[in-house]
Amino acid sequence: MNDQARLRWGILGAARVNERLLPAIIEAPNSQLVAIASRRPGAAGETLRKYAPRQQDVREYDRLEALLEDADVKAVYLPMANEEHAVWALRAIHHGKHVLIEKPMALTVADIEAIEGAAREYGVLVMEGFMYRFHPQHARVLEIVASGLIGDVRSVRASYSFMMRPARMYRLARDPGLGGGAMWDIGPYAIHSLRLCFGCEPVAVTATAKYVESGADSVASGVLDFGDGRFGHFDISFERARRSEYEIIGTKGGVKCHAAWQLPGDVPVISWWTEDGRECVEHYPAANHFNLEIEHFSDCVLKGKAPLLTFDDAKANCRAIVAALQSAAQGKVVKLG
Ligand SMILES: NC(=O)c1ccc[n+]([C@@H]2O[C@H](COP(=O)([O-])OP(=O)(O)OC[C@H]3O[C@@H](n4cnc5c(N)ncnc54)[C@H](OP(=O)(O)O)[C@@H]3O)[C@@H](O)[C@H]2O)c1
């Protein structure tokens, strides 16, 4: 593929998640990493050499603004801390960059609306980085649901947990108003998958949580009410063994995605059953959802296509997360819409 057919990327921030996304940008055939920036002197180069030791011709900046001023950078991957997403996304857009923003896109619906307005004004593409949506196993789950095999979806349960390693404790150092805690870290995935499986938006949210000293939630659980007795249950924790799954129960059977938010080495498995006695376990080859996400974003920019993940989706997810945080803090049901 010639250089014209590759989207030229810059990475805004030497974040840990670059371990996954930096190689993805390098490996995607329609993408090229041309710059990386960090506010900490030397950190950009350190990250580059750690995750792509053989990569050459990538400019390293010790100022984030310098990367935004680099006219050769056409798209920005924004992996900064949650509370910084909105302000830096807006700055990147104002420099005419397309932006892939790590989840959550922002901490308020108003901030997402501001990003949406700016993207429209500057004619750039912006997407929230829910990498898991690009793993083919979820398309298969949706295909099973759409086929009618399990009947009408009546209940979905999403469970995401792992023991938080001491090195990652910084994620619990800020209260949820500043983007800290499990609801803003792993909650976005669980909530997103409930909304995906029901294919509509919740009308009310009830949640409860355990808080640590900083005010951040380390464990949270709750129910999204999709109306007519259809409930989505989420259950997230930094204090128990790894679980990364969702299960849908319909009027005629159920389907389960066993390794929903995959780590390298996870094997994609989907199982389904029906009340008339049929059952099946489907195994799939491993796929790298980060690579697929980057390829998708670049393809959309290069070919002028609409991205899979929309602003409406980002706003609806944010609305549900904010409602869950509010419900847990105030001990009440929060109605939506
Ligand atoms: N899609 C996924 O699978 C996935 C996985 C993990 C996280 N995420 C998301 O990605 C975003 C980043 O998460 P993360 O855990 O990778 O964040 P992180 O390592 O804390 O990095 C966030 C920002 O903090 C600064 N920083 C990093 N290390 C630092 C240090 N030692 N001292 C001071 N500042 C430091 C960096 O900015 P400077 O370089 O400018 O200093 C960086 O951009 C979050 O929005 C998170 O939700 C997504």
Side-chain angles (χ1 to χ4, degrees), residues 7-82:
L7 182 62
R8 298 167 80 75
W9 287 82
I11 297 179
L12 206 59
R16 282 174 202 274
V17 67
N18 281 313
E19 179 178 4
R20 311 271 180 240
L21 270 296
L22 194 152
I25 295 171
I26 287 171
E27 286 164 22
N30 59 358
S31 308
Q32 185 180 356
L33 181 65
V34 296
I36 179 168
S38 167
R39 289 160 289 197
R40 285 164 294 134
E46 230 172 78
T47 299
L48 185 65
R49 279 175 280 287
K50 189 168 176 190
Y51 301 130
R54 284 187 297 280
Q55 196 64 20
Q56 291 179 339
D57 302 328
V58 176
R59 294 180 287 286
E60 299 162 22
Y61 294 116
D62 285 346
R63 274 190 329 117
L64 300 181
E65 290 82 357
L67 185 140
L68 297 184
E69 287 156 8
D70 184 336
D72 187 43
V73 171
K74 303 300 178 199
V76 165
Y77 167 57
L78 203 161
M80 299 172 73
N82 295 340

Side-chain angles (χ1 to χ4, degrees), residues 3 18 21 43 45 83 90 105 210 244 250 263 298 303 329:
D3 279 358
N18 281 313
L21 270 296
E83 71 274 22
L90 286 169
M105 181 178 280
K210 171 188 168 181
S244 169
L263 289 177
S298 291
K303 297 184 181 154

Side-chain angles (χ1 to χ4, degrees), residues 206-280:
T206 315
T208 186
K210 171 188 168 181
Y211 299 96
V212 295
E213 214 170 295
S214 65
D217 55 305
S218 57
V219 181
S221 189
V223 178
L224 270 59
D225 182 348
F226 287 87
D228 190 30
R230 297 175 305 158
F231 295 118
H233 307 257
F234 69 88
D235 180 22
I236 59 172
S237 175
F238 287 148
E239 298 185 5
R240 59 165 202 246
R242 183 156 181 254
R243 265 278 168 272
S244 169
E245 63 184 31
Y246 62 81
E247 183 173 23
I248 310 170
I249 310 292
T251 48
K252 296 188 204 165
V255 57
K256 179 170 170 176
C257 181
H258 293 250
W261 305 289
Q262 298 229 323
L263 289 177
D266 278 353
V267 178
V269 178
I270 293 167
S271 58
W272 56 261
W273 56 273
T274 61
E275 278 208 320
D276 61 13
R278 285 174 288 165
E279 57 181 45
C280 183

